[in-house]
Amino acid sequence: MNLLSRLLKGIGGFILLMGCFSAESIDKRSKGDSPDISLPLPGHDGTVSVERALFNRMSIRTFSDVSLSLREAGQLLWAGGGANVDGLTGATRTFPSAGGLYPVELYLVAEKIDSLAPGIYHYIWKNHSLRQVKKGVFIDSIKTLTYSGAFRNAAVPACIVAAAVYSRTTSKYGERGGSRYVPMDIGGCGENIFLQAVALGLGTFIIGAFDDDSVRRVIGAPREETPLYIMPVGRR
Ligand SMILES: Cc1cc2nc3c(=O)[nH]c(=O)nc-3n(C[C@H](O)[C@H](O)[C@H](O)COP(=O)(O)O)c2cc1C
């Protein structure tokens, strides 16, 4: 590689990196009144091995009434779709994604999380923070929109809702992107959250049966986002 192309590559990488962390690029949606909430930095060295987390993974559908910490909530969101290290292309994410297009958006429905007002929050993965979408208590509304009896009857301190922007992937891959790649991407994201919950000693399960439009409205997601997973999270 000659000197000029190396230089151009270096400048390109720098611009890409700046783009990843500049405030404007964080989220195209309008910011609410409240400032974004920085989450505690995610840990990268837990004490539970991947093998142990896989061995212990199972759906947990009943939780204690005890709140989650903000660190735990942030760790789950990071596992689901936070930034990880890739020196070549800038910040990549914790789940693999077809074409690196990352169609997934994560929402936290918080009811009992220490130091966090009840509400709906959008996870801003590029700077590991939460942007408040709505204030208030919404878990009961979400419960009534699912077809999961177990969830309806459980005490649930928080839920993570994973939604997908299909057009991010179909604009490059067409029908195959929508029917195959988006579900594969979101599967990786859901499994990451699941294994992280096990490693933190928390419980979760996946709900796929719910009224899509109503859940989208409750979490305040834009029309282009389709909610695909609801993951209630709590202490076992
Ligand atoms: C895509 C998907 C959708 C699911 N939807 C629901 C659901 O709507 N309600 C529910 O109670 N469980 C749901 N589950 C949980 C499964 O029932 C559960 O994973 C399965 O019974 C295996 O149990 P295990 O997770 O303990 O291994 C879903 C799981 C997946 C992967």
Side-chain angles (χ1 to χ4, degrees):
M1 198 189 298
N2 66 32
L3 190 62
L4 181 65
S5 64
R6 275 187 203 199
L7 198 65
L8 287 174
K9 199 173 170 208
I11 292 168
F14 180 72
I15 290 169
L16 188 68
L17 201 65
M18 288 299 98
C20 280
F21 292 99
S22 77
E24 282 87 346
S25 74
I26 284 167
D27 193 82
K28 296 273 187 301
R29 279 168 283 197
S30 58
K31 271 184 90 166
D33 299 335
S34 320
D36 291 350
I37 298 160
S38 295
L39 289 162
L41 286 179
H44 303 147
D45 296 298
T47 53
V48 176
S49 67
V50 174
E51 295 84 353
R52 177 54 57 185
L54 285 166
F55 189 67
N56 287 343
R57 190 214 65 81
M58 65 178 77
S59 294
I60 302 292
R61 291 182 164 87
T62 51
F63 309 104
S64 82
D65 202 21
V66 179
S67 58
L68 299 180
S69 69
L70 193 58
R71 182 176 295 282
E72 288 168 326
Q75 189 73 33
L76 291 166
L77 291 163
W78 172 79
N84 65 8
V85 176
D86 184 327
L88 287 178
T89 56
T92 64
R93 301 178 67 177
T94 51
F95 63 97
S97 173
L101 296 169
Y102 302 105
V104 180
E105 296 294 332
L106 296 176
Y107 291 83
L108 180 67
V109 185
E111 188 151 326
K112 277 191 154 188
I113 297 183
D114 299 339
S115 318
L116 191 66
I120 311 266
Y121 297 86
H122 181 220
Y123 177 55
I124 311 295
W125 67 272
K126 283 177 182 166
N127 63 1
H128 194 54
S129 66
L130 293 176
R131 180 163 297 170
Q132 191 176 61
V133 181
K134 291 182 179 180
K135 284 182 195 158
V137 172
F138 293 96
I139 288 198
D140 278 350
S141 315
I142 300 233
K143 280 181 181 175
T144 61
L145 300 172
T146 70
Y147 307 113
S148 168
F151 178 42
R152 285 186 179 197
N153 299 325
V156 179
C159 290
I160 294 174
V161 181
V165 182
Y166 276 77
S167 59
R168 266 183 219 158
T169 304
T170 56
S171 58
K172 180 166 184 187
Y173 296 113
E175 196 279 328
R176 189 178 180 86
S179 63
R180 299 178 77 152
Y181 298 162
V182 170
M184 289 173 182
D185 283 12
I186 207 140
C189 159
E191 180 72 349
N192 286 0
I193 295 172
F194 221 129
L195 293 178
Q196 181 69 79
V198 175
L200 293 172
L202 302 172
T204 189
F205 71 109
I206 281 170
I207 299 173
F210 51 80
D211 184 292
D212 299 356
D213 279 343
S214 306
V215 168
R216 185 176 51 70
R217 273 193 293 273
V218 170
I219 62 172
R223 189 166 286 279
E224 58 168 5
E225 294 183 14
T226 307
L228 293 176
Y229 273 175
I230 298 173
M231 299 185 72
V233 194
R235 298 197 182 282
R236 302 166 70 142

